[in-house]
Each structure stands twice: as C-alpha cells, then as structure tokens.
C-alpha cells in the first residue's frame, strides 16, 4: 500500500473509531459506484463505514412507464426512436426496444446524432429518449436550440431528465433517512455547482462532499465526510475543485432554465418526487413527443420480484435480490440496475461475482 493511501486509511480509521458507531455513506452517482469497485476502494475502508449506492444511474431511475411509452412509440410507422445504447436493453412490461427488432429504433451517441436523424428522415417524427441528470440535460437543450435555429419541425423529445437534489431530499424525507452523508457526484456537480448541496447540509444536517473519480479523490472525499461526522459538522466540501465551481456552469444552467421546468414526475423505485423531473416549458411544447404524437404516457408497474427500487434507495445491496445472479444477469437483465454499466446490480455482478 503506498504511503498516501496508508495516510488516508489512518485518517479514516481514526475518524471511525471516534465516531463510535457504524455510518452509512451514499455515493449518489453510478460512476462512483463503478469506480469504488474497480479501484478496490471498498476493501480499503475500515469496518464501520458502509457504502450505499444511490439513485444516480440515468437508465436505472427512468421509470417503467417511460420505457413502455417508448415501446409503444416504436410500434408506430410514423416515428423514429433515437436513444442512447443502454436504454434499448431495459426490459419494459412485455419486451425491450432491442428485442422488438424494429428498424425505426436507432442508437445514437449524442443528441447531435438524434437531430441529424431528424434532418435525414423528414417523413418521420423523430423521438429522442431524453434521459439523465443535469449532466446530459444541457446537451438536450442545445439540440432544441439548434432545431429551432434550423426550423427542424420533425424533432421531438420524450423528456425524462432528472434532478439530483430533489432525489436526495426525497431519500432523507422518508425513502431512506438512515443515510448519514453523501459522496456527491462529480459530473452533475460541474453543472449545478457545489453550493447546490447546501440545503442538504444545512436543512438535513448531512455532510456532502463532491469528489471526482480518481481513487485518491474518492478516498479523500470519504475521509472528509468521516471527519465532518466525527466533529459533529455537516457542510458542503469539494475535493474536485479543478472542475466544480460553487455556482456551477452558469451557461448550462441558463439553457436548462430556458427550455425546461421541474415537475413531480415518476422515478423508478422512488415514486413521484416533488420537482424531481424536467419537462419542456409550454412555449417549447412543439418538441414534446407526448403532445406532438398525442400519446398518454404509461404508468407501468416495475417487474415482479425486481428490487431495483430498494437498491436505488440504498435500502438493500443487490445480492439481497432473490433474482440476482440467478435469473437476472447482465446477459439477461430483469431490471435496469443490471442493464446499465453504471447500475449497482451490474457493478456488483461484475466485480463481486454472483
Ligand atoms: Fe432488479 Fe436484477 Fe437487480 Fe434484482 S438483481 S434488483 S431483478 S436488476
């Protein structure tokens, strides 16, 4: 073990001994979940620190109704569905976009690709599955701006973008109030800024530390959290100052405010969260697939036996799900947490085995 890691480990051990009780730290972001496993950080932590994976994987938190709505839309000959790769593998109530084998379902690597599909297919209404947090939502806003500038009329979005702070509040207000602190997501924080977590620290008295994805940063973030708890403090700190400013990215935030407004939309496993989902503002509803294609968004139950909801709230670890590694695996996923590379079930399966 190199000396820097040894020092951090000693800081952690000292803090945990002085805290004198087990603590639960939620890593909100799926990228952190994977990094924690990949770098073996879990095994470096002293006993008494429990890490909980949170609702920070975009594919995982997209509700079953949105998946089923996309499946319905894919049946129509007048639409072309564009989506990021992981989404097509998420099982809906009856099948997945991948298994549907429809020529009008396209994987795109960027929102630009989705808009390009609209340019090249003027006879179709292109629907972009707009999922993800504050990290990806600005890119959706940029293509809407571009579509307006070019007068592209056949481009729409099925908007399921999520906001991270309302989800953290929802957890603490009932879904899982046993969380002692949050390791806050690096990517999202670049956009929303570290000050965005102040209500979590000040109102709910939970330490929030923003970290990037390098192992030393993650360990430093966890050490800072433990030291806050040990000294009875709850404040916002960042160990990712190279990328995260207190006020975030003001240009991106303005773009989000221009096109979107928060509403109480559905999350997988967390139900409806006040102000937790983005929808298009009325003046931009020409881009809203729901309005343009005159559809009713579906409200579907989650797969029987799947515990993704409890996993996303940090209430159980994936191996507690009776389907984990038995009938649910990355090659045969039952729930989205096993589909996405950032999903907790997929990470546990890959790094811990069945
Ligand atoms: Fe859902 Fe599969 Fe995870 Fe169980 S193991 S919670 S079925 S994704």
């Amino acid at each position: 073990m190199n000396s820097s890691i040894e020092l951090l480990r000693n800081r952690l051990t000292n803090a945990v001994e002085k805290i004198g009780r087990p603590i639960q730290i939620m890593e909100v972001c799926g990228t952190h979940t994977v990094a924690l496993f990949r770098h073996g950080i879990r095994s470096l932590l002293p006993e008494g620190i429990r890490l909980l994976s949170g609702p920070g994987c975009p594919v995982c938190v997209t509700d079953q109704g949105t998946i089923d709505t996309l499946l319905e839309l894919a049946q129509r000959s007048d639409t072309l569905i564009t989506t990021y790769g992981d989404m097509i593998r998420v099982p809906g109530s009856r099948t997945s976009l991948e298994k549907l084998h429809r020529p009008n379902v396209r994987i795109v690597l960027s929102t630009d690709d989705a808009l390009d599909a609209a340019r090249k297919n003027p006879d179709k209404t292109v629907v972009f599955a707009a999922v993800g947090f504050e990290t990806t939502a600005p890119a959706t806003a940029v293509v809407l701006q571009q579509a307006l500038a070019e007068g592209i009329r056949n481009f729409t979005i099925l908007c399921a973008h999520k906001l991270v702070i309302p989800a953290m509040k929802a957890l603490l207000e009932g879904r899982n109030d046993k969380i002692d602190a949050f390791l806050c997501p690096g990517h999202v924080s670049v956009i929303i800024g570290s000050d965005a977590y102040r209500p979590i620290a000040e109102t709910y008295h939970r330490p929030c530390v923003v970290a990037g994805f390098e192992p030393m940063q993650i360990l430093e973030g966890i050490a800072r959290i433990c030291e806050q708890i040990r000294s009875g403090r709850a404040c916002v700190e960042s160990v990712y100052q190279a990328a995260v400013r207190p006020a975030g990215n003001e240009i991106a935030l303005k773009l989000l405010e221009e096109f979107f407004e928060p509403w109480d939309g559905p999350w997988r496993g967390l139900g409806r969260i006040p102000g937790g989902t983005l929808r298009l503002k009325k003046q931009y509803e020409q881009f809203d697939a729901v309005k343009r294609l005159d559809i009713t968004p579906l409200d579907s139950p989650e797969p029987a036996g799947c515990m993704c909801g409890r996993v996303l709230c940090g209430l159980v670890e994936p191996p507690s799900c009776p389907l984990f590694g038995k009938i649910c695996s990355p090659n045969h996923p039952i729930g989205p947490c096993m589909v996405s590379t950032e999903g907790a079930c997929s990470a546990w399966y890959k790094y811990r085995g069945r």
Side-chain angles (χ1 to χ4, degrees):
M1 197 182 296
N2 79 34
S3 58
S4 309
I5 295 178
E6 188 79 54
L7 273 173
L8 271 167
R9 203 166 184 278
N10 289 342
R11 273 172 64 195
L12 282 164
T13 306
N14 285 339
V16 168
E17 274 173 17
K18 286 188 180 130
I19 292 167
R21 64 174 176 89
I23 57 168
Q24 306 204 83
I25 300 172
M26 174 170 276
E27 88 272 3
V28 180
C29 166
T31 313
H32 272 151
T33 301
V34 173
L36 285 161
F37 276 113
R38 185 186 297 134
H39 299 301
I41 293 172
R42 283 171 169 266
S43 60
L44 291 173
L45 300 180
E47 268 194 42
I49 299 179
R50 183 162 177 238
L51 294 176
L52 312 173
S53 300
C57 150
V59 171
C60 307
V61 296
T62 302
D63 64 296
Q64 190 79 350
T66 295
I67 305 295
D68 282 345
T69 304
L70 282 168
L71 282 158
E72 290 278 324
L73 286 171
Q75 307 275 4
R76 292 173 54 150
S77 57
D78 59 344
T79 62
L80 176 58
I81 309 296
T82 54
T83 174
Y84 295 129
D86 279 352
M87 284 289 286
I88 73 160
R89 297 190 60 233
V90 179
S93 296
R94 290 196 313 277
T95 184
S96 65
L97 286 170
E98 183 179 49
K99 288 185 181 152
L100 209 56
H101 291 304
R102 298 273 301 184
N104 61 337
V105 177
R106 302 254 174 97
I107 293 177
V108 290
L109 298 177
S110 68
T111 49
D112 282 340
D113 290 349
L115 188 60
D116 208 36
R119 289 189 195 99
K120 289 176 176 153
N121 296 274
D123 57 325
K124 304 267 191 203
T125 299
V126 169
V127 179
F128 173 62
V131 302
F133 289 85
E134 291 95 332
T135 330
T136 52
T140 305
V142 167
V143 283
L144 294 174
Q145 214 175 29
Q146 187 64 27
L148 273 176
E150 292 183 39
I152 298 174
R153 299 179 56 79
N154 64 326
F155 180 72
T156 67
I157 65 170
L158 186 65
C159 193
H161 282 304
K162 304 293 183 210
L163 301 174
V164 76
I165 301 291
M168 292 165 76
K169 288 183 182 172
L171 285 166
L172 296 175
E173 284 176 7
R175 272 76 162 185
N176 185 356
D177 61 1
K178 301 285 187 287
I179 300 162
D180 290 298
F182 292 98
L183 184 69
C184 300
H187 295 144
V188 163
S189 304
V190 170
I191 304 296
I192 66 174
S194 49
D195 278 354
Y197 301 99
R198 286 177 66 168
I200 305 294
E202 290 167 8
T203 306
Y204 300 90
H205 308 291
R206 300 307 203 279
C208 291
V209 178
V210 178
F213 304 100
E214 294 301 319
M216 292 301 288
Q217 269 210 12
I218 295 175
L219 272 172
E220 176 67 31
I222 296 171
R224 299 265 189 114
I225 284 171
C226 292
E227 287 163 357
Q228 282 196 43
I229 296 174
R230 185 206 62 204
S231 60
R233 290 179 300 129
C235 60
V236 178
E237 292 184 74
S238 173
V239 294
Y240 198 27
Q241 282 157 339
V244 175
R245 295 188 301 124
N249 182 325
E250 282 140 17
I251 295 171
L253 290 172
K254 270 204 182 105
L255 258 179
L256 292 184
E257 203 184 322
E258 171 62 29
F259 283 93
F260 301 109
E261 62 187 9
W263 74 293
D264 306 347
W267 289 54
R268 187 179 296 265
L270 287 91
R272 289 187 181 270
I273 295 182
T277 299
L278 290 177
R279 67 181 171 199
L280 282 162
K281 284 187 169 170
K282 191 154 182 57
Q283 62 264 40
Y284 296 113
E285 69 183 21
Q286 73 264 35
F287 294 115
D288 187 344
V290 170
K291 302 254 166 51
R292 281 282 295 280
L293 294 161
D294 195 22
I295 51 171
T296 305
L298 297 168
D299 188 6
S300 314
E302 289 162 25
C306 171
M307 294 176 76
C308 279
R310 291 177 65 73
V311 170
L312 289 166
C313 292
L315 294 167
V316 295
E317 289 176 338
S320 301
C321 173
L323 310 187
F324 180 84
K326 298 186 177 77
I327 63 170
C328 183
S329 66
N331 285 334
H332 181 76
I334 303 295
C337 297
M338 193 59 96
V339 172
S340 170
T341 48
E342 295 197 345
C345 297
S346 153
W348 274 81
Y349 188 95
K350 182 171 178 191
Y351 293 99
R352 283 281 178 94
R354 36 169 79 196

